[in-house]
Amino acid sequence: MIFIDACFRQETPYTPIWLMRQAGRYLSEYQEVRKQAKSFLDLCADVKRATEVTLQPIEILDVDAAILFSDILLLPHAMGLPLEFIPGFGPKFTQTITSLEDIRALKRGAYKDLGFVYEIVSSVRSALGKSKALIGFSGAPWTLATYMLEGQGSKTYSQSKKILYSQPEAAHALLEALSQEIIHYLDAQAQAGANALMLFDSWAGALELEAYLDFGWDYVQKITKTLKAKHPKTPLIVFPKGVGAYLGHLKGDFEVFGCDWGVPLKFAKEMLGDRYVLQGNLEPARLYSQEAMVEGVKRIFEVMGKRAGFIFNLGHGMLPDLPRAHATQLVRLVREISQR
């Protein structure tokens, strides 16, 4: 698999490409499947339909890797927090964590209740061509904790930071509980057939350096170290968003570092390129304009060249109203420019 080879810095005929949120609303095929499910949560739990939408970007865009169609909040939902996806608003927990007692009441071994996720992984893997990889994933502890503490997405993270600074023992208890669940959750995905595993720390940039190292990155390191010991041949990808200024402090047992669009690739290459394969980082909004997209792609390859050990992706997820024709063109363009 070209994607897996690239994760291990092996020579590939071209730079592999996949796109975060590549299965989503910008595809009419996805929208048709979504209409058939009662809710987004029902779609995530429907093995047949979730398999179908996971495979759509492979069939439509011909990207080099599929990523499991799921959501990072399934795990805290399984741990006992009621979850809703509200149209026009997004995810919301109707019950939140407010104390150490709440943390102790969370269900342990909740990953065992997500058997449908592992069934979807197995179903997708059996349907994928041998040249295409399948990426399993989870949210990282800090990002999941913010949703559990805030109840929803936040601009200030005031409740999360309040507990982090005023009750650090409670914050660490929650992060440790999440870490153990994530380790088992990703281990089960690998056993079900996932070829690579990815940790999304979407709200990493909400914390100052010292706080992120203590309450965020330390737990990412613990998870990757444990998984690498269990699955040495399965590449691990980390994506801590918004921490470009912290790159000199980030290291661990993983192969691929995902760069968001706010991190200049030249800087990431200087700081991390000798240790990790870089993945990224085209600004998704550039796909609104064909000219801007081409300019962005060329700029990235001016920095990265045709070197082994680079994976092309967006610097965040596909936006719902991006032109699908531009996404298809992006895949072709990356292949043409990076042919070796």
Side-chain angles (χ1 to χ4, degrees):
M1 299 174 189
I2 184 173
F3 174 80
I4 300 301
D5 289 344
C7 289
F8 288 115
R9 211 183 287 271
Q10 297 174 12
E11 287 290 339
T12 55
Y14 58 85
T15 298
I17 176 174
W18 69 281
L19 310 174
M20 286 183 279
R21 292 187 191 153
Q22 62 188 12
R25 286 177 286 173
Y26 75 102
L27 295 176
S28 58
E29 292 86 347
Y30 167 81
Q31 293 175 346
E32 286 302 313
V33 177
R34 175 65 183 86
K35 290 176 184 176
Q36 299 168 21
K38 293 181 181 179
S39 68
F40 181 76
L41 277 175
D42 287 333
L43 178 57
C44 289
D46 187 317
V47 174
K48 182 179 179 181
R49 292 192 175 110
T51 297
E52 183 178 352
V53 294
T54 300
L55 292 170
Q56 282 173 350
I58 296 289
E59 299 162 352
I60 297 167
L61 306 179
D62 193 30
V63 288
D64 295 294
I67 184 166
L68 170 70
F69 181 82
S70 189
D71 193 272
I72 63 171
L73 299 184
L74 293 185
L75 192 55
H77 179 46
M79 293 176 75
L81 295 189
L83 176 64
E84 297 178 356
F85 282 85
I86 303 171
F89 178 81
K92 184 178 179 63
F93 285 111
T94 56
Q95 173 186 331
T96 60
I97 298 295
T98 60
S99 66
L100 187 58
E101 288 69 28
D102 290 342
I103 296 167
R104 289 170 176 160
L106 290 170
K107 182 174 182 177
R108 301 311 196 262
Y111 70 94
K112 297 176 184 177
D113 295 335
L114 296 173
F116 60 87
V117 172
Y118 318 133
E119 288 184 50
I120 296 166
V121 170
S122 179
S123 174
V124 172
R125 184 58 268 171
S126 65
L128 268 179
K130 293 182 179 180
S131 65
K132 306 292 187 180
L134 172 59
I135 304 167
F137 72 90
S138 173
W142 162 248
T143 290
L144 296 186
T146 65
Y147 280 103
M148 299 170 80
L149 294 163
E150 306 285 341
Q152 60 194 52
S154 174
K155 293 182 179 180
T156 63
Y157 307 92
S158 58
Q159 295 303 313
S160 306
K161 293 183 180 183
K162 180 180 179 180
I163 287 186
L164 185 151
Y165 290 116
S166 66
Q167 302 178 60
E169 72 286 349
H172 281 300
L174 176 57
L175 293 163
E176 178 62 30
L178 283 165
S179 296
Q180 293 306 313
E181 295 292 335
I182 291 166
I183 288 169
H184 290 296
Y185 184 49
L186 289 176
D187 175 38
Q189 290 184 43
Q191 291 188 47
N195 306 110
L197 300 171
M198 185 165 177
L199 270 176
F200 286 90
D201 211 353
S202 304
W203 309 134
L207 294 176
E208 61 183 343
L209 173 60
E210 292 77 9
Y212 182 61
L213 293 178
D214 189 12
F215 294 93
W217 191 254
D218 277 358
Y219 291 96
V220 170
Q221 284 184 303
K222 177 181 293 188
I223 292 166
T224 57
K225 182 178 181 179
T226 303
L227 287 171
K228 186 49 56 181
K230 288 174 172 282
H231 303 282
K233 295 183 179 180
T234 301
L236 304 179
I237 309 163
V238 298
F239 182 70
K241 186 175 182 292
V243 295
Y246 307 165
L247 295 190
H249 301 269
L250 306 182
K251 58 183 179 180
D253 296 301
F254 54 87
E255 283 73 31
V256 182
F257 188 93
C259 301
D260 66 81
W261 56 263
V263 180
L265 265 188
K266 183 177 180 181
F267 178 65
K269 183 180 177 182
E270 292 171 354
M271 299 299 295
L272 301 175
D274 61 336
R275 288 181 285 146
Y276 305 111
V277 171
L278 299 182
Q279 176 177 275
N281 72 338
L282 186 69
E283 213 308 8
R286 280 186 174 270
L287 270 72
Y288 285 121
S289 161
Q290 187 179 49
E291 181 179 350
M293 180 183 73
V294 172
E295 178 188 32
V297 172
K298 289 181 177 179
R299 185 178 299 169
I300 285 173
F301 278 110
E302 285 174 2
V303 173
M304 300 306 298
K306 298 181 180 181
R307 70 199 294 265
F310 175 55
I311 296 165
F312 200 99
N313 206 314
L314 303 179
H316 203 234
M318 286 286 290
L319 298 168
D321 60 341
L322 289 174
R324 64 182 286 162
H326 290 180
T328 303
Q329 183 187 2
L330 174 63
V331 175
R332 290 199 304 264
L333 183 62
V334 168
R335 294 225 173 102
E336 291 170 1
I337 292 177
S338 66
Q339 289 284 345
R340 301 184 177 107

